Amino acid sequence: MAKNVMHAVQYDGYGGGPSGLKHVEIPIPNPNKDEVLLKLEAASLNPFDWKVQKGMLWPLLPRRFPHIPGTDVAGEVVQVGPGVKKFKAGDKVVAMVNPLNGGGLAELAVTKESLIAARPPEVSAATAVGLPVAGLTAHQALIQSAGIKLDGSGKQANVLITAASGGVGLYAVQLAKLGNTHVTATCGACNLELVKSLGADEVIDYKTPEGATLKSPSGRKYDAVIHCATGIPWSTFEPNLSTNGKVIDITPGLSAVANFALGKLTFSKKQLVPLLLSPKAQNLDYLLKLVREGKLKTIIDSKYPLTKAEDAWAKSIDGHATGKIIVEP
């Protein structure tokens, strides 16, 4: 008889951190209309995952308890629901699970066909699985919010990327350099060389006095800031921005949204722009193409088996990962 249960990691309520995660055997989900069931080869964690557990997105998320966290997945299609046209059993893919439902920390997961991209054979599951949330966030921030053209056309822009050695930051540095940009980046001292090797023109240790002011060593004013760090006030950014400079906040809190509204009201040309990810499969296809061509790398901080998911969770909460944290069933 075919196995009809799977190993998954879930939590039953808000709080608890890594010790709130429970290993369970639960029924394998069935794909509904326009959905695909994947046998997972890898999942990747994002700060979003533990923020939901902490209750930082209450009352929106999660929809219900118990909740299986994880939105970034890569694996093989095992079953398709009615109406699925692009994928069939046996296809290797990378996908984003609906964050409202979760499901990534498990042996199998269901996702919508519209959030799936085919994974080229040259790109490993662990490399591909970093892309959905972190890669798409960096891409959307640069293209849509900052208006950078990644084909190198357009006038030169000065871009600052904060927390450039994190999951989003490392993709943002590489993608920004495909455009006509001068990139200044901030990160910890131990990652200065890595960030420089990925193309940043100037790298500042965020713990130094220069890092605290965010001033460009070459005296440039920033046309766009891809803000991947937290806890930096608008007053620190403002003097470093060009006339129409934008700070794109990838983890906007209520204050960022309020500042954005205030900027609109005062018609200030300098703006704080909150970014809310709008994932699209075609953008995921584009990022996978860049990876296949060697133009974009996924930097992997660490890998954990699903049986040690709580260790991966603790590493993510710690906040000092260099690149992506991968969990493999």
Side-chain angles (χ1 to χ4, degrees):
M1 192 180 85
K3 182 182 160 195
N4 59 359
V5 294
M6 65 174 184
H7 176 199
V9 175
Q10 64 184 34
Y11 53 84
D12 297 329
Y14 291 118
S19 58
L21 300 180
K22 292 186 171 65
H23 292 264
V24 293
E25 296 280 316
I26 58 170
I28 291 172
N30 285 313
N32 294 322
K33 187 177 184 307
D34 300 328
E35 288 183 339
V36 171
L37 177 67
L38 305 177
K39 183 177 193 303
L40 301 189
E41 295 169 47
S44 99
L45 292 184
N46 295 286
F48 170 86
D49 299 317
W50 54 260
K51 286 177 181 177
V52 171
Q53 185 201 30
K54 274 185 90 169
M56 291 166 78
L57 291 152
W58 179 90
L60 301 174
L61 294 171
R63 261 190 188 164
R64 65 184 72 85
F65 293 115
H67 179 72
I68 300 170
T71 52
D72 290 354
V73 295
E76 184 175 313
V77 176
V78 289
Q79 193 185 342
V80 300
V84 171
K85 294 184 178 69
K86 290 190 204 154
F87 300 99
K88 62 187 186 309
D91 287 350
K92 298 282 192 179
V93 299
V94 57
M96 192 169 159
V97 175
N98 182 339
L100 294 175
N101 303 327
L105 290 188
E107 289 179 302
L108 295 103
V110 159
T111 185
K112 286 261 184 217
E113 181 182 30
S114 59
L115 293 174
I116 303 177
R119 173 165 64 84
E122 312 92 308
V123 181
S124 73
T127 296
V129 83
L131 293 169
V133 168
L136 289 176
T137 297
H139 179 264
Q140 184 177 319
L142 286 160
I143 302 256
Q144 208 173 306
S145 306
I148 307 292
K149 292 183 168 64
L150 300 194
D151 61 1
S153 66
K155 63 177 178 33
Q156 194 186 46
N158 295 319
V159 176
L160 169 67
I161 298 165
T162 62
S165 57
V168 176
L170 288 167
Y171 286 131
V173 169
Q174 297 174 78
L175 290 171
K177 287 309 295 177
L178 296 175
N180 182 12
T181 61
H182 179 281
V183 172
T184 306
T186 70
C187 62
C190 58
N191 290 315
L192 295 172
E193 287 308 313
L194 169 67
V195 173
K196 209 160 183 50
S197 75
L198 293 174
D201 299 286
E202 304 176 317
V203 190
I204 317 167
D205 177 353
Y206 77 96
K207 286 188 172 168
T208 60
E210 298 77 20
T213 64
L214 300 179
K215 277 192 169 49
S216 157
S218 57
R220 291 161 193 260
K221 298 287 187 191
Y222 307 120
D223 301 302
V225 178
I226 311 300
H227 182 31
C228 308
T230 52
I232 300 174
W234 172 252
S235 55
T236 304
F237 289 117
E238 206 274 339
N240 293 302
L241 296 175
S242 64
T243 314
N244 296 305
K246 286 181 180 175
V247 176
I248 297 128
D249 191 347
I250 69 153
T251 56
L254 285 175
S255 63
V257 177
N259 265 329
F260 176 62
L262 198 62
K264 288 278 191 209
L265 286 174
T266 56
F267 302 103
S268 163
K269 286 185 174 173
K270 297 180 182 183
Q271 282 189 350
L272 180 66
V273 181
L275 183 138
L276 296 168
L277 178 61
S278 171
K280 293 182 175 65
Q282 76 215 50
N283 294 337
L284 198 47
D285 282 328
Y286 171 72
L287 295 179
L288 284 161
K289 177 173 164 285
L290 292 179
V291 173
R292 196 182 76 233
E293 292 170 354
K295 294 175 181 171
L296 184 66
K297 291 180 190 165
T298 294
I299 306 298
I300 295 173
D301 175 89
S302 45
K303 290 183 182 179
Y304 298 85
L306 184 59
T307 51
K308 294 266 188 350
E310 51 277 15
D311 295 345
W313 201 257
K315 177 79 179 176
S316 181
I317 290 172
D318 176 54
H320 293 289
T322 301
K324 296 302 297 175
I325 298 166
I326 310 296
V327 178
E328 297 175 322

